[in-house]
């Protein structure tokens, strides 16, 4: 057991030398406000902590930065080094310290869950692994992969397919039972032993133990044939063929039929890409990748932090883990992960032979992911948008909308376009609000959306700057448009005080539950801010034009006729304001002297265009 933390307000090394314990434990460096900067574990707290008090030139760059900000220290004694590992992992996950390498896996990888406590379990797709006694298989690299695997299992094996947790009672068998793809537990008595045999077959298949599964199926087929149950023997024969087809498609990567995790790492510009190969019984059964951004970290530090944070959450830890980087405290880490697995686990950095080939293969995949990082990140974010907003597919195009006005006057709207998460400036549009009088944000937003819908070429998603009221106004405008196909809708509202921004979707009263660091929230904030910038920019441009037009009225000799001639020649006040004396004099009725006077009045004494002043802007956001 660990003891309560001991606070050390002074970082005087001599004072610490007399107070620090020499047992195993965890230490926490803090800044002057008490925020935790770094969490570390030590076999000997006194020796480890004092090693930080060296000249900055002798410390790693990142450690030197941390120590320059450190003003306090807490230590927590533990009974064993294993307990120190566990506590360090818990504290890093809880506090996300600035100078720890933190594994932030935003991707919730899908898995298959089989509740073996249920007498007649079924397979379900889940995105979170819980310690609930069920069997979890995966993770799969994508939702498409897990659905493909589930479809294959449902075709080969006779597990029940009904979606309900409880077994429904039917008077007539379903189609799956008629096709011999289900034992039909909903219409007849099936013993737990018989159903358990099917569960065991599925488990062997998902664990990659297909050769063992083949032997079981061949034995059952021979037995059925010898007992003249030819229909059952034929069904098992078809199962064997299907499993053989799967085996042929698998890639043998190791001559040793053992379970291994192979972890390769590559780094570029502070982005560390890790790739894990799951090798089960010599076959490559799947992969998973993680991206860690930390410009001050070393490859060794990232690999060590990854192992510490990844394996405590895993249900299955193989007997061997191959890594591409050296780790300083490997024996202690190996003992701790062995403790997690409940058996001996070997962790090694191979230097030759077949294992090096596996490591290099993982590293090449990591390097390739770094090459395609920008595009893949955007794709993952759009998939996350679809999941969060419950859309049928990831939205490729998103348009953000905002309005701007001065107490209801000169109201304008702006639309910005993003494609695959990136700005598409050819899709930006400005609108003058024409039908709404006074301060009526909802009415202005409704008009903006209605006019945008009439333009055609609609995006997959419209993102409104505002809250529930603005979203409802947009919903009404979309319903009234009469269009058969309309974009999906969402709204983003500024958070109050220190609260994060909120995302609203139709049909839901409360905002979505979303973390402040979620990439979807950051994308929506970027789109909202771009629409906001565009609306204000357009609004100020119109105000400047109106101010210049008013100034033009003050020029002696410029009446309505000459004013119309000037605007007809230059098109707008902005172009007119940039014209030279010679260009102005080209307009009929404008002499060189009058042209010079026009420029003097429009640009003022400073030589710059006079802009509006003394106004209070009113805009969304």
């Amino acid at each position: 057991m660990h003891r309560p933390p001991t606070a050390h307000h002074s970082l005087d090394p001599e004072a610490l030398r007399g107070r620090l314990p020499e047992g195993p434990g965890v230490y926490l460096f803090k800044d002057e406000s008490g925020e935790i900067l770094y969490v570390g574990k030590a076999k000997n707290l006194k020796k480890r902590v004092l090693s930080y008090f060296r000249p900055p030139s002798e410390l790693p760059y990142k450690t030197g930065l941390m120590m320059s900000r450190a003003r306090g220290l807490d230590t927590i004694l533990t009974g064993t080094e294993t307990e120190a590992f566990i506590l360090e992992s818990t504290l890093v996950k809880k506090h996300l310290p600035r100078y720890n390498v933190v594994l932030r896996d935003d991707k919730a990888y899908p898995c298959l869950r089989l509740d073996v406590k249920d007498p007649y379990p079924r397979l379900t797709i889940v995105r979170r692994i819980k310690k609930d006694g069920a069997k979890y298989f995966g993770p799969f690299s994508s939702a498409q992969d897990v659905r493909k695997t589930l479809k294959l299992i449902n075709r080969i094996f006779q597990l029940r397919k009904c979606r309900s947790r409880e077994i429904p009672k039917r008077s007539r068998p379903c189609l799956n039972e008629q096709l011999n793809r289900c034992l039909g537990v909903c219409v007849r008595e099936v013993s737990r032993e018989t159903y358990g045999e099917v569960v065991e077959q599925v488990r062997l298949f998902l664990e990659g133990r297909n050769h063992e599964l083949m032997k079981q199926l061949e034995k059952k087929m021979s037995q059925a044939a010898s007992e003249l149950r030819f229909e059952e023997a034929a069904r098992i024969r078809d199962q064997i063929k299907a499993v053989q087809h799967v085996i042929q498609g698998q890639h043998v990567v190791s001559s040793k039929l053992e379970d291994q995790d192979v972890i390769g790492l590559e780094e570029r510009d502070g982005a560390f890409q890790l790739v894990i190969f799951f090798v089960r019984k010599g076959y490559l059964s799947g992969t998973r990748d993680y991206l860690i951004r930390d410009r001050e970290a070393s490859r060794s530090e990232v690999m060590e932090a990854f192992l510490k944070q990844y394996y405590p959450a895993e249900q299955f830890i193989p007997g061997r883990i191959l890594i591409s980087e050296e780790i300083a405290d490997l024996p202690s880490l190996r003992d701790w992960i062995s403790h997690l697995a409940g058996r001996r686990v070997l962790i090694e950095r191979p230097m030759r032979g077949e294992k090096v080939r596996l490591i290099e293969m993982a590293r090449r995949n990591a390097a390739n992911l770094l090459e395609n990082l920008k595009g893949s990140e955007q794709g993952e974010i759009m998939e996350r948008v679809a999941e969060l907003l419950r859309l049928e597919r990831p939205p490729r195009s998103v348009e953000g909308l905002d309005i701007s006005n001065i107490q209801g006057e000169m109201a304008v709207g702006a639309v910005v376009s993003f494609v695959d998460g990136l700005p598409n400036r050819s899709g930006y549009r400005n609108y003058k609000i024409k039908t709404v009088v006074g301060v009526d944000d909802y009415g202005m937003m409704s008009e903006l959306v209605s006019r945008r819908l009439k333009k055609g070429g609609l995006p997959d998603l419209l993102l409104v700057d505002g809250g529930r009221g603005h979203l409802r106004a947009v919903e009404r405008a979309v319903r009234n448009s009469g269009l058969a196909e309309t974009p999906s809708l969402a709204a983003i509202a500024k958070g109050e005080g220190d609260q994060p921004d909120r995302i609203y979707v139709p049909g839901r009263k409360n905002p979505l539950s979303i973390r402040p660091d979620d990439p979807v929230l950051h994308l929506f904030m970027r789109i909202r801010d771009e629409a906001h910038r565009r609306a204000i920019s357009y609004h100020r441009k119109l105000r400047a034009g109106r101010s210049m037009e008013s100034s033009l009225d003050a020029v002696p000799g410029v009446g309505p006729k000459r004013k119309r001639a000037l605007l007809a020649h230059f098109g707008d006040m902005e172009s007119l304001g940039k014209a030279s004396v010679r260009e102005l004099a080209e307009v009929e009725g404008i002499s060189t002297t009058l042209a010079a006077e026009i420029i003097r009045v429009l640009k003022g004494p400073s030589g710059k265009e006079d802009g509006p002043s003394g106004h209070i802007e009113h805009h969304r956001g």
Side-chain angles (χ1 to χ4, degrees):
M1 295 295 291
H2 62 77
R3 301 173 188 173
T6 303
H8 301 276
H9 299 290
S10 169
L11 285 185
D12 176 16
E14 292 306 315
L16 290 174
R17 194 181 301 276
R19 294 201 301 260
L20 285 171
E22 296 193 2
V26 172
Y27 56 94
L28 302 88
F29 280 106
K30 299 182 175 183
D31 65 12
E32 59 186 2
S33 68
E35 181 183 352
I36 296 173
L37 297 173
Y38 183 80
V39 175
K41 77 96 199 155
K43 189 174 184 177
N44 183 315
L45 277 171
K46 183 175 185 177
K47 185 177 179 180
R48 182 71 185 98
V49 170
L50 291 176
S51 71
Y52 285 87
F53 295 91
R54 291 181 284 162
S57 60
E58 297 179 16
L59 292 171
Y61 176 71
K62 185 177 180 180
T63 305
L65 283 177
M66 185 270 292
M67 290 302 293
S68 69
R69 294 185 58 188
R71 298 294 182 270
L73 173 74
D74 284 355
T75 59
I76 306 174
L77 269 173
T78 58
T80 64
E81 192 176 4
T82 296
E83 287 184 2
F85 269 111
I86 296 170
L87 183 57
E88 178 198 29
S89 177
T90 301
L91 292 174
V92 168
K93 187 175 181 180
K94 178 180 179 181
H95 297 290
L96 304 178
R98 166 67 180 84
Y99 291 95
N100 281 90
V101 175
V102 178
L103 178 62
R104 292 180 172 91
D105 185 21
D106 291 327
K107 295 175 287 187
Y109 288 89
C111 295
L112 285 172
R113 179 180 182 272
L114 189 65
D115 188 357
V116 292
K117 301 191 302 298
D118 189 328
Y120 301 99
R122 62 195 176 95
L123 273 175
T124 56
I125 298 174
V126 297
R127 288 201 174 254
R128 298 292 177 193
I129 295 176
K130 301 178 181 178
K131 294 186 177 180
D132 55 3
K135 290 282 185 182
Y136 290 86
F137 304 95
F140 294 83
S141 58
S142 69
Q144 182 180 1
D145 285 345
V146 74
R147 285 195 292 267
K148 184 178 177 182
T149 301
L150 181 58
K151 185 177 180 180
L152 179 64
I153 290 171
N154 285 339
R155 181 168 57 83
I156 298 175
F157 302 101
Q158 292 180 292
L159 281 183
R160 69 182 181 96
K161 310 322 190 258
C162 34
R163 295 177 180 271
S164 57
R165 184 184 298 271
E166 301 297 328
I167 298 174
K169 295 301 179 183
R170 295 192 176 101
S171 58
R172 299 172 61 185
C174 65
L175 182 61
N176 283 311
E177 194 277 341
Q178 294 176 48
L179 294 173
N180 277 324
R181 293 182 179 178
C182 174
L183 289 177
V185 294
C186 59
V187 292
R188 67 172 62 89
E189 289 291 330
V190 176
S191 70
R192 294 181 62 173
E193 181 182 0
T194 300
Y195 195 87
E197 290 178 0
V198 177
V199 172
E200 176 66 8
Q201 292 169 7
V202 171
R203 187 178 66 82
L204 291 174
F205 181 81
L206 287 169
E207 289 177 355
R209 295 160 63 182
N210 290 322
H211 291 286
E212 189 176 340
L213 173 60
M214 289 281 288
K215 289 179 182 178
Q216 280 194 16
L217 292 175
E218 287 166 355
K219 182 179 179 181
K220 284 176 65 68
M221 183 178 68
S222 297
Q223 183 179 348
S226 65
E227 295 175 0
L228 306 182
R229 291 181 281 114
F230 298 117
E231 186 176 338
E232 182 180 348
R235 181 183 58 77
I236 299 173
R237 177 202 61 206
D238 293 340
Q239 281 185 299
I240 292 172
K241 287 181 178 179
V243 174
Q244 284 175 331
H245 181 72
V246 171
I247 292 174
Q248 290 169 1
Q250 288 180 326
H251 181 43
V252 179
V253 295
S254 175
S255 58
K256 294 183 178 180
L257 301 180
E258 61 179 345
D259 296 333
Q260 303 177 78
D261 281 356
V262 182
I263 308 175
L265 181 150
E266 284 296 333
E267 181 265 339
R268 181 177 300 165
D269 298 328
F272 294 85
Q273 182 68 64
L274 296 107
V275 167
I276 312 177
F277 284 168
F278 303 113
V279 181
R280 302 296 180 255
K281 307 304 176 188
Y283 288 90
L284 179 61
S285 67
T287 66
R288 192 171 179 180
D289 59 89
Y290 287 87
L291 180 70
I292 295 176
R293 296 188 185 275
D294 193 321
R295 289 192 173 276
E296 290 88 32
S298 66
R299 297 169 73 103
S300 175
E301 184 183 1
V302 169
M303 180 63 76
E304 180 178 349
F306 175 76
L307 295 174
K308 287 180 179 179
Q309 296 173 53
Y310 174 77
Y311 282 105
E314 286 303 292
Q315 291 282 311
F316 175 75
I317 301 175
R320 189 183 300 273
I321 301 170
L322 305 181
I323 57 177
S324 63
E325 313 302 320
E326 278 192 61
I327 292 179
D329 197 15
L330 185 57
S332 296
L333 184 59
R334 183 178 56 225
D335 292 344
W336 176 56
I337 291 180
S338 296
H339 169 78
L340 293 175
R343 52 182 162 72
R344 187 167 178 250
V345 175
L346 298 175
I347 305 176
E348 56 183 310
R349 180 175 178 254
M351 302 303 294
R352 58 183 177 273
E354 181 184 83
K355 295 172 185 174
V356 170
R357 181 178 60 81
L358 290 173
I359 285 291
E360 288 305 314
M361 189 163 65
R363 289 181 63 172
R364 283 197 301 273
N365 277 265
N368 184 60
L369 285 171
L370 281 177
E371 287 288 335
N372 302 298
L373 179 60
K374 189 170 185 179
S376 64
E377 280 186 324
Q378 294 300 333
E380 288 167 6
I381 291 174
M382 302 321 290
E383 286 188 6
R384 169 75 174 142
V385 171
E387 182 180 353
L388 191 66
L389 272 58
R390 297 186 178 181
L391 307 179
E392 291 184 4
R393 61 182 181 275
R396 185 157 187 263
S397 56
V398 181
E399 290 186 2
L401 299 91
D402 193 17
I403 54 175
S404 181
N405 62 90
I406 300 176
Q407 299 298 317
E409 295 295 323
M410 294 182 65
V412 300
V415 176
V416 297
S417 170
F418 278 61
V419 175
D420 294 331
L422 300 173
N424 171 41
R425 301 194 185 281
S426 64
Y428 285 24
R429 296 288 184 271
N430 295 331
Y431 293 85
K432 292 181 181 178
I433 301 300
K434 299 177 179 179
T435 63
V436 179
V437 178
V439 180
D440 182 0
D441 281 4
Y442 299 161
M444 293 176 187
M445 188 65 76
S446 180
E447 178 186 331
L448 176 60
V449 171
S450 298
R451 290 170 61 186
R452 172 63 190 93
L453 293 175
K454 291 177 182 178
K455 289 286 185 182
L458 300 177
D460 300 317
L461 174 67
L462 284 177
L463 180 65
V464 182
D465 181 7
R468 284 191 301 267
H470 291 86
L471 184 60
R472 283 195 291 266
V474 171
E475 283 186 87
R476 285 193 296 271
V478 170
R479 281 197 304 269
N480 294 335
S481 69
L483 296 174
E485 294 188 13
T486 57
S488 300
L489 303 176
I492 179 169
K494 281 279 190 183
E496 298 178 3
D498 296 330
Q499 295 300 311
D501 289 4
R502 305 180 302 278
I503 296 175
Y504 293 91
V505 294
R508 180 184 172 118
K509 180 180 179 182
N510 296 320
L512 297 177
S513 177
I514 185 169
R515 299 195 315 270
D517 62 347
D518 194 299
V520 172
L521 181 59
H522 292 174
L523 173 64
F524 280 13
M525 289 169 64
R526 184 184 178 196
I527 296 172
R528 184 268 316 281
D529 292 346
E530 181 70 353
H532 182 66
R533 181 200 64 78
R534 177 85 178 188
I536 291 178
S537 176
Y538 181 48
H539 189 251
R540 286 175 176 166
K541 178 180 175 181
L542 291 182
R543 282 166 49 194
R546 179 173 290 186
S547 176
M548 289 176 65
E549 191 172 343
S550 298
S551 298
L552 194 61
D553 292 333
V555 179
V558 177
K561 183 178 179 180
R562 283 175 175 165
K563 182 177 177 181
R564 286 195 298 270
L566 286 166
L567 289 173
H569 183 85
F570 291 101
D572 54 43
M573 287 301 303
E574 183 179 9
S575 300
L576 190 155
K578 295 176 181 177
S580 64
V581 169
R582 183 180 58 81
E583 290 169 333
L584 286 168
E586 292 175 358
V587 179
E588 185 179 356
I590 305 297
S591 65
T592 303
T593 303
L594 184 55
E597 182 64 13
I598 290 171
I599 289 178
R600 186 191 69 78
V601 171
L602 291 185
K603 295 195 174 182
S606 65
K608 298 179 181 179
E609 288 90 342
D610 288 336
S613 60
H615 294 292
I616 300 174
E617 292 186 43
H618 179 79
H619 51 75
R620 292 296 324 136

